[in-house]
Coordinates of all heavy atoms in Angstrom, one line a residue:
M221 N 0.8 -1.2 0.0 CA 0.0 0.0 0.0 C 0.9 1.2 0.0 O 1.5 1.5 1.0 CB -0.9 0.0 1.2 CG -1.6 1.3 1.4 SD -2.6 1.4 2.9 CE -4.2 1.2 2.3
P222 N 0.9 2.0 -1.1 CA 1.7 3.2 -1.1 C 1.1 4.3 -0.2 O -0.1 4.5 -0.2 CB 1.6 3.7 -2.5 CG 1.3 2.5 -3.3 CD 0.4 1.7 -2.4
H223 N 2.0 4.9 0.6 CA 1.6 6.0 1.4 C 2.4 7.2 1.0 O 3.6 7.2 0.8 CB 1.9 5.8 2.9 CG 1.6 7.0 3.8 ND1 0.3 7.4 4.0 CD2 2.4 7.9 4.4 CE1 0.3 8.5 4.7 NE2 1.6 8.8 5.0
I224 N 1.7 8.3 0.7 CA 2.3 9.5 0.1 C 2.3 10.6 1.2 O 1.2 10.9 1.8 CB 1.6 10.0 -1.1 CG1 1.6 8.9 -2.2 CG2 2.1 11.3 -1.6 CD1 0.6 9.1 -3.3
V225 N 3.5 11.2 1.5 CA 3.6 12.2 2.5 C 3.8 13.6 1.8 O 4.7 13.6 0.9 CB 4.7 12.0 3.5 CG1 4.9 13.1 4.4 CG2 4.6 10.6 4.2
I226 N 3.0 14.5 2.0 CA 3.2 15.9 1.5 C 3.5 16.8 2.6 O 2.8 16.9 3.6 CB 1.9 16.3 0.7 CG1 1.5 15.4 -0.4 CG2 2.0 17.8 0.2 CD1 0.2 15.6 -1.0
Q227 N 4.6 17.5 2.5 CA 5.0 18.5 3.4 C 4.9 19.9 2.7 O 5.4 20.0 1.6 CB 6.4 18.2 4.0 CG 6.5 16.9 4.7 CD 7.9 16.6 5.1 OE1 8.8 16.5 4.2 NE2 8.2 16.4 6.4
M228 N 4.4 20.8 3.4 CA 4.2 22.2 2.8 C 4.1 23.2 3.9 O 3.9 22.9 5.0 CB 2.9 22.2 1.9 CG 1.6 22.0 2.7 SD 0.1 22.2 1.8 CE 0.1 20.8 0.7
Y229 N 4.3 24.5 3.4 CA 4.2 25.6 4.3 C 2.7 25.7 4.7 O 1.8 25.3 4.0 CB 4.5 26.9 3.6 CG 6.0 27.1 3.3 CD1 6.4 27.9 2.3 CD2 7.0 26.4 3.9 CE1 7.7 28.1 1.9 CE2 8.3 26.5 3.6 CZ 8.7 27.4 2.6 OH 10.0 27.6 2.2
P230 N 2.4 26.1 5.9 CA 1.0 26.3 6.4 C 0.3 27.3 5.6 O 0.9 28.2 4.9 CB 1.2 26.8 7.8 CG 2.6 26.4 8.3 CD 3.4 26.4 7.0
G231 N -1.0 27.3 5.6 CA -1.8 28.3 5.0 C -2.9 27.8 4.1 O -3.7 28.6 3.6
R232 N -2.9 26.5 3.8 CA -3.9 26.0 3.0 C -5.0 25.4 3.9 O -4.7 24.8 4.9 CB -3.4 24.8 2.1 CG -2.7 25.3 0.8 CD -1.3 25.6 1.2 NE -0.5 26.0 0.0 CZ 0.8 26.1 0.1 NH1 1.5 25.9 1.2 NH2 1.5 26.4 -1.0
D233 N -6.3 25.5 3.4 CA -7.3 24.9 4.2 C -7.5 23.5 3.9 O -6.9 22.9 2.9 CB -8.6 25.7 4.1 CG -9.2 25.8 2.7 OD1 -8.9 24.8 1.9 OD2 -9.8 26.8 2.3
D234 N -8.4 22.8 4.6 CA -8.6 21.4 4.4 C -9.2 21.0 3.1 O -8.9 20.0 2.5 CB -9.5 20.8 5.5 CG -8.8 20.6 6.8 OD1 -7.5 20.7 6.9 OD2 -9.4 20.3 7.9
E235 N -10.0 21.9 2.5 CA -10.5 21.7 1.2 C -9.4 21.7 0.1 O -9.4 20.8 -0.7 CB -11.5 22.8 0.8 CG -12.2 22.6 -0.5 CD -13.3 23.7 -0.7 OE1 -14.1 24.0 0.2 OE2 -13.4 24.2 -1.8
Q236 N -8.4 22.6 0.2 CA -7.3 22.6 -0.7 C -6.4 21.4 -0.5 O -6.0 20.8 -1.5 CB -6.5 23.9 -0.5 CG -7.2 25.2 -0.9 CD -6.4 26.4 -0.5 OE1 -6.1 26.6 0.7 NE2 -6.1 27.2 -1.5
K237 N -6.2 21.0 0.7 CA -5.4 19.8 1.0 C -6.1 18.6 0.5 O -5.4 17.7 -0.1 CB -5.1 19.7 2.5 CG -4.2 20.8 3.1 CD -4.1 20.7 4.6 CE -3.2 21.8 5.1 NZ -3.1 21.7 6.6
S238 N -7.4 18.5 0.7 CA -8.1 17.3 0.1 C -8.0 17.3 -1.4 O -7.8 16.2 -2.0 CB -9.6 17.4 0.5 OG -9.7 17.2 1.9
A239 N -8.1 18.4 -2.0 CA -8.0 18.5 -3.5 C -6.6 18.0 -4.0 O -6.6 17.2 -4.9 CB -8.3 19.9 -4.0
V240 N -5.6 18.5 -3.4 CA -4.3 18.1 -3.8 C -4.0 16.6 -3.5 O -3.4 15.9 -4.3 CB -3.1 19.0 -3.2 CG1 -2.8 18.7 -1.8 CG2 -1.9 18.8 -4.1
A241 N -4.5 16.1 -2.4 CA -4.3 14.7 -2.0 C -5.0 13.8 -3.1 O -4.5 12.8 -3.5 CB -4.8 14.4 -0.6
R242 N -6.2 14.2 -3.4 CA -7.0 13.5 -4.4 C -6.3 13.4 -5.8 O -6.2 12.4 -6.4 CB -8.4 14.1 -4.5 CG -9.3 13.4 -5.5 CD -10.8 13.9 -5.5 NE -10.8 15.4 -5.7 CZ -11.0 16.3 -4.8 NH1 -11.3 15.9 -3.5 NH2 -11.0 17.6 -5.0
E243 N -5.8 14.6 -6.2 CA -5.1 14.7 -7.5 C -3.8 13.9 -7.5 O -3.5 13.2 -8.5 CB -4.9 16.1 -7.9 CG -6.2 16.8 -8.3 CD -6.0 18.1 -8.9 OE1 -5.0 18.3 -9.6 OE2 -6.9 19.0 -8.7
V244 N -3.1 13.9 -6.4 CA -1.8 13.2 -6.3 C -2.1 11.7 -6.4 O -1.5 10.9 -7.1 CB -1.1 13.6 -5.1 CG1 0.1 12.6 -4.8 CG2 -0.5 15.0 -5.2
V245 N -3.2 11.2 -5.6 CA -3.5 9.8 -5.6 C -4.0 9.4 -7.0 O -3.6 8.3 -7.5 CB -4.6 9.5 -4.5 CG1 -5.2 8.2 -4.8 CG2 -3.9 9.5 -3.2
E246 N -4.8 10.2 -7.7 CA -5.2 9.8 -9.0 C -4.0 9.7 -10.0 O -4.0 8.7 -10.8 CB -6.2 10.8 -9.5 CG -7.6 10.7 -8.8 CD -8.5 11.8 -9.1 OE1 -8.2 12.8 -9.9 OE2 -9.7 11.8 -8.6
A247 N -3.1 10.6 -9.9 CA -1.9 10.5 -10.8 C -1.0 9.3 -10.4 O -0.6 8.5 -11.3 CB -1.1 11.8 -10.6
A248 N -0.9 9.0 -9.1 CA -0.1 7.9 -8.7 C -0.7 6.6 -9.1 O -0.1 5.6 -9.5 CB 0.2 7.9 -7.2
S249 N -2.0 6.5 -9.0 CA -2.8 5.3 -9.3 C -2.6 5.0 -10.8 O -2.4 3.9 -11.2 CB -4.3 5.6 -9.1 OG -5.1 4.5 -9.6
R250 N -2.7 6.0 -11.7 CA -2.4 5.8 -13.1 C -1.0 5.4 -13.4 O -0.8 4.4 -14.1 CB -2.7 7.1 -13.9 CG -4.2 7.4 -14.1 CD -4.4 8.5 -15.1 NE -3.7 9.8 -14.7 CZ -4.1 10.7 -13.9 NH1 -5.3 10.5 -13.3 NH2 -3.4 11.8 -13.6
A251 N -0.1 6.0 -12.8 CA 1.4 5.8 -13.0 C 1.8 4.4 -12.5 O 2.6 3.7 -13.2 CB 2.2 6.8 -12.4
L252 N 1.2 3.9 -11.4 CA 1.6 2.6 -10.8 C 0.6 1.5 -11.2 O 0.9 0.3 -10.8 CB 1.7 2.8 -9.3 CG 2.7 3.8 -8.8 CD1 2.6 3.9 -7.3 CD2 4.1 3.4 -9.2
G253 N -0.5 1.8 -11.8 CA -1.4 0.8 -12.2 C -2.1 0.1 -11.1 O -2.4 -1.1 -11.1
R254 N -2.4 0.9 -10.0 CA -3.1 0.4 -8.8 C -4.3 1.2 -8.6 O -4.3 2.4 -8.9 CB -2.2 0.4 -7.6 CG -0.9 -0.3 -7.7 CD -1.0 -1.8 -7.6 NE -1.5 -2.1 -6.3 CZ -1.8 -3.3 -5.9 NH1 -1.6 -4.3 -6.6 NH2 -2.3 -3.5 -4.7
G255 N -5.3 0.6 -8.0 CA -6.5 1.4 -7.7 C -6.3 2.4 -6.6 O -5.4 2.2 -5.8
I256 N -7.1 3.4 -6.6 CA -6.9 4.4 -5.5 C -7.1 3.9 -4.1 O -6.6 4.5 -3.2 CB -7.8 5.7 -5.8 CG1 -9.3 5.3 -5.8 CG2 -7.4 6.4 -7.1 CD1 -10.2 6.5 -5.8
E257 N -7.8 2.8 -4.0 CA -8.1 2.2 -2.7 C -6.8 1.7 -2.0 O -6.8 1.3 -0.9 CB -9.1 1.1 -2.8 CG -8.7 -0.1 -3.5 CD -8.9 -0.1 -5.0 OE1 -9.2 1.0 -5.6 OE2 -8.7 -1.1 -5.7
H258 N -5.7 1.6 -2.8 CA -4.5 1.1 -2.3 C -3.6 2.2 -1.7 O -2.5 2.0 -1.2 CB -3.7 0.4 -3.4 CG -4.4 -0.8 -3.8 ND1 -4.4 -2.0 -3.1 CD2 -5.1 -1.0 -5.0 CE1 -5.1 -2.9 -3.8 NE2 -5.6 -2.3 -4.9
F259 N -4.0 3.5 -1.8 CA -3.2 4.6 -1.4 C -3.7 5.3 -0.2 O -4.9 5.3 0.1 CB -3.2 5.7 -2.5 CG -2.4 5.2 -3.8 CD1 -3.1 4.4 -4.7 CD2 -1.1 5.5 -4.0 CE1 -2.5 4.0 -5.8 CE2 -0.5 5.0 -5.1 CZ -1.1 4.3 -6.0
S260 N -2.8 5.9 0.6 CA -3.1 6.8 1.6 C -2.2 8.1 1.5 O -1.1 8.0 0.9 CB -2.9 6.2 3.0 OG -1.6 5.8 3.2
V261 N -2.7 9.2 2.0 CA -1.9 10.5 1.9 C -2.0 11.2 3.2 O -3.1 11.3 3.8 CB -2.5 11.4 0.8 CG1 -1.8 12.7 0.7 CG2 -2.5 10.7 -0.6
S262 N -0.9 11.7 3.7 CA -0.9 12.6 4.8 C -0.3 13.9 4.4 O 0.6 13.9 3.5 CB -0.2 12.0 6.0 OG 1.2 11.8 5.7
I263 N -0.7 15.0 5.0 CA -0.2 16.3 4.7 C 0.3 16.9 6.0 O -0.5 17.0 7.0 CB -1.2 17.2 4.0 CG1 -1.6 16.6 2.7 CG2 -0.7 18.6 3.9 CD1 -2.6 17.4 1.9
E264 N 1.5 17.4 6.0 CA 2.1 18.0 7.2 C 2.5 19.4 6.9 O 3.2 19.7 6.0 CB 3.4 17.2 7.6 CG 4.2 17.8 8.7 CD 5.5 17.1 9.0 OE1 5.9 16.2 8.2 OE2 6.2 17.5 9.9
D265 N 2.0 20.3 7.7 CA 2.3 21.7 7.6 C 3.6 22.0 8.4 O 3.8 21.6 9.6 CB 1.3 22.6 8.2 CG 0.0 22.7 7.4 OD1 0.1 22.5 6.2 OD2 -1.1 22.8 8.0
V266 N 4.6 22.5 7.7 CA 5.9 22.8 8.3 C 6.2 24.3 8.1 O 6.3 24.8 7.0 CB 7.1 22.0 7.6 CG1 8.4 22.3 8.3 CG2 6.8 20.5 7.7
P267 N 6.3 25.1 9.2 CA 6.6 26.5 9.0 C 7.9 26.8 8.3 O 8.8 26.0 8.4 CB 6.7 27.0 10.5 CG 5.9 26.0 11.3 CD 6.1 24.7 10.6
Q268 N 7.9 27.8 7.5 CA 9.0 28.2 6.6 C 10.3 28.3 7.4 O 11.3 27.8 7.0 CB 8.7 29.5 5.9 CG 9.8 29.8 4.9 CD 9.5 31.0 4.1 OE1 8.4 31.6 4.2 NE2 10.4 31.4 3.2
E269 N 10.2 28.8 8.6 CA 11.4 29.0 9.4 C 12.0 27.6 9.9 O 13.2 27.6 10.3 CB 11.2 29.9 10.6 CG 10.2 29.5 11.6 CD 8.8 29.9 11.3 OE1 8.5 30.4 10.2 OE2 7.9 29.6 12.1
R270 N 11.2 26.6 9.8 CA 11.7 25.3 10.2 C 12.0 24.3 9.0 O 12.5 23.2 9.2 CB 10.7 24.6 11.2 CG 10.6 25.3 12.5 CD 9.7 24.7 13.5 NE 9.0 23.5 13.1 CZ 7.7 23.3 13.5 NH1 7.0 24.2 14.2 NH2 7.1 22.2 13.1
W271 N 11.7 24.8 7.8 CA 11.9 24.0 6.6 C 13.3 23.5 6.4 O 13.5 22.3 6.2 CB 11.4 24.8 5.4 CG 11.3 24.0 4.2 CD1 12.2 23.7 3.2 CD2 10.2 23.2 3.8 NE1 11.7 22.9 2.2 CE2 10.4 22.6 2.6 CE3 8.9 23.0 4.4 CZ2 9.5 21.7 1.9 CZ3 8.0 22.2 3.7 CH2 8.3 21.6 2.5
D272 N 14.3 24.3 6.5 CA 15.7 23.9 6.3 C 16.2 22.9 7.3 O 17.1 22.2 7.0 CB 16.6 25.1 6.2 CG 16.4 25.9 5.0 OD1 15.9 25.4 4.0 OD2 16.8 27.1 4.9
T273 N 15.6 22.9 8.5 CA 16.1 22.0 9.5 C 15.3 20.8 9.6 O 15.8 19.7 10.0 CB 16.2 22.7 10.9 OG1 14.9 23.2 11.3 CG2 17.2 23.8 10.9
E274 N 14.0 20.9 9.3 CA 13.1 19.7 9.5 C 12.8 18.9 8.2 O 12.3 17.8 8.3 CB 11.8 20.2 10.2 CG 12.0 20.6 11.6 CD 10.7 21.0 12.3 OE1 9.6 20.5 11.9 OE2 10.8 21.7 13.3
V275 N 12.9 19.6 7.1 CA 12.6 18.9 5.8 C 13.8 18.6 4.9 O 14.0 17.5 4.6 CB 11.5 19.7 5.1 CG1 11.2 19.1 3.7 CG2 10.2 19.9 5.9
V276 N 14.5 19.7 4.6 CA 15.6 19.5 3.7 C 16.6 18.4 4.0 O 16.9 17.6 3.1 CB 16.3 20.9 3.5 CG1 17.6 20.7 2.6 CG2 15.4 21.9 2.9
P277 N 17.1 18.3 5.2 CA 18.0 17.2 5.5 C 17.5 15.8 5.4 O 18.2 14.9 5.3 CB 18.5 17.5 7.0 CG 18.0 18.9 7.3 CD 16.9 19.1 6.4
Y278 N 16.2 15.7 5.4 CA 15.5 14.3 5.5 C 14.8 14.0 4.2 O 14.2 12.9 4.1 CB 14.6 14.3 6.7 CG 15.3 14.6 7.9 CD1 15.1 15.8 8.6 CD2 16.2 13.7 8.5 CE1 15.8 16.1 9.7 CE2 16.9 14.0 9.7 CZ 16.7 15.2 10.3 OH 17.4 15.5 11.4
R279 N 14.9 14.8 3.2 CA 14.2 14.5 1.9 C 14.8 13.2 1.3 O 14.1 12.5 0.7 CB 14.3 15.7 0.9 CG 13.6 16.9 1.4 CD 13.6 18.0 0.3 NE 15.0 18.3 0.1 CZ 15.4 19.2 -0.9 NH1 14.5 19.8 -1.6 NH2 16.6 19.5 -1.1
E280 N 16.1 13.0 1.4 CA 16.7 11.8 0.9 C 17.6 11.3 2.0 O 18.7 11.7 2.3 CB 17.6 12.2 -0.3 CG 18.2 10.9 -1.0 CD 18.7 11.2 -2.4 OE1 18.5 12.3 -2.9 OE2 19.3 10.2 -2.9
D281 N 17.0 10.3 2.7 CA 17.6 9.8 4.0 C 17.2 8.4 4.1 O 16.0 8.1 4.0 CB 17.1 10.7 5.2 CG 17.7 10.2 6.5 OD1 18.9 9.8 6.5 OD2 17.0 10.3 7.5
G282 N 18.1 7.5 4.4 CA 17.7 6.1 4.6 C 17.2 5.5 3.3 O 17.9 5.4 2.3
N283 N 15.9 5.1 3.4 CA 15.3 4.4 2.2 C 14.6 5.4 1.3 O 13.8 4.9 0.4 CB 14.4 3.3 2.8 CG 14.0 2.3 1.7 OD1 14.8 2.1 0.8 ND2 12.9 1.7 1.9
K284 N 14.8 6.7 1.5 CA 14.1 7.7 0.7 C 15.0 8.2 -0.4 O 16.2 8.3 -0.2 CB 13.6 8.9 1.5 CG 12.6 8.5 2.5 CD 12.2 9.7 3.3 CE 13.2 10.0 4.4 NZ 12.8 11.0 5.3
K285 N 14.5 8.4 -1.6 CA 15.3 9.0 -2.7 C 14.5 10.2 -3.3 O 13.3 10.1 -3.6 CB 15.5 8.0 -3.8 CG 16.3 8.5 -4.9 CD 16.7 7.5 -6.0 CE 17.5 8.1 -7.1 NZ 17.9 7.2 -8.1
L286 N 15.1 11.3 -3.5 CA 14.5 12.5 -4.0 C 14.5 12.4 -5.5 O 15.6 12.2 -6.1 CB 15.3 13.7 -3.5 CG 14.7 15.1 -3.8 CD1 13.4 15.3 -3.1 CD2 15.7 16.2 -3.4
F287 N 13.4 12.6 -6.2 CA 13.3 12.4 -7.6 C 13.1 13.8 -8.3 O 13.4 14.0 -9.5 CB 12.1 11.5 -8.0 CG 12.5 10.1 -7.8 CD1 12.2 9.4 -6.6 CD2 13.1 9.3 -8.8 CE1 12.6 8.1 -6.4 CE2 13.4 8.0 -8.6 CZ 13.2 7.4 -7.4
I288 N 12.4 14.7 -7.6 CA 12.2 16.1 -8.2 C 12.5 17.1 -7.1 O 12.1 16.9 -6.0 CB 10.7 16.2 -8.7 CG1 10.4 15.3 -9.8 CG2 10.5 17.7 -9.1 CD1 9.0 15.3 -10.3
D289 N 13.3 18.1 -7.5 CA 13.7 19.2 -6.6 C 13.5 20.5 -7.3 O 14.0 20.7 -8.4 CB 15.1 19.0 -6.1 CG 15.5 19.9 -5.0 OD1 14.6 20.3 -4.2 OD2 16.6 20.3 -4.8
K290 N 12.7 21.4 -6.7 CA 12.4 22.7 -7.2 C 11.8 22.6 -8.6 O 12.2 23.4 -9.5 CB 13.6 23.6 -7.1 CG 14.0 23.8 -5.7 CD 15.2 24.7 -5.6 CE 15.6 24.8 -4.1 NZ 16.8 25.5 -3.9
G291 N 11.0 21.6 -8.9 CA 10.3 21.4 -10.1 C 11.1 20.7 -11.2 O 10.7 20.5 -12.3
K292 N 12.4 20.3 -10.9 CA 13.2 19.7 -11.9 C 13.5 18.2 -11.5 O 13.8 17.9 -10.4 CB 14.6 20.4 -12.0 CG 14.4 21.9 -12.5 CD 15.7 22.6 -12.6 CE 15.5 24.0 -13.0 NZ 16.6 24.8 -13.0
L293 N 13.4 17.4 -12.5 CA 13.6 16.0 -12.4 C 15.1 15.8 -12.1 O 16.0 16.3 -12.8 CB 13.2 15.2 -13.6 CG 13.3 13.7 -13.6 CD1 12.4 13.1 -12.6 CD2 13.0 13.1 -15.0
I294 N 15.4 14.9 -11.1 CA 16.8 14.6 -10.8 C 17.2 13.3 -11.5 O 16.5 12.3 -11.3 CB 17.0 14.5 -9.2 CG1 16.6 15.8 -8.6 CG2 18.4 14.1 -8.9 CD1 16.5 15.7 -7.0
K295 N 18.2 13.3 -12.2 CA 18.6 12.1 -12.9 C 19.5 11.3 -12.1 O 20.2 11.6 -11.3 CB 19.3 12.5 -14.2 CG 18.4 13.5 -15.0 CD 18.3 13.0 -16.4 CE 17.4 14.0 -17.1 NZ 16.8 13.5 -18.2

């Protein structure tokens, strides 16, 4: 079961978060050939002043690999 974690600056309401979660799951479902019932999504608000210490160092850590950074595909 793929679980997708989205980290973003605060300021979006639950309606916006639901919309982005839905769209991400629909895209992942198509790309991976699995039904949407196999996915879960969580969204974490991270204040901008904590981004560099709480997100950046852990984007690629352990079993995680960063594939896109600042809109650009990483080869």
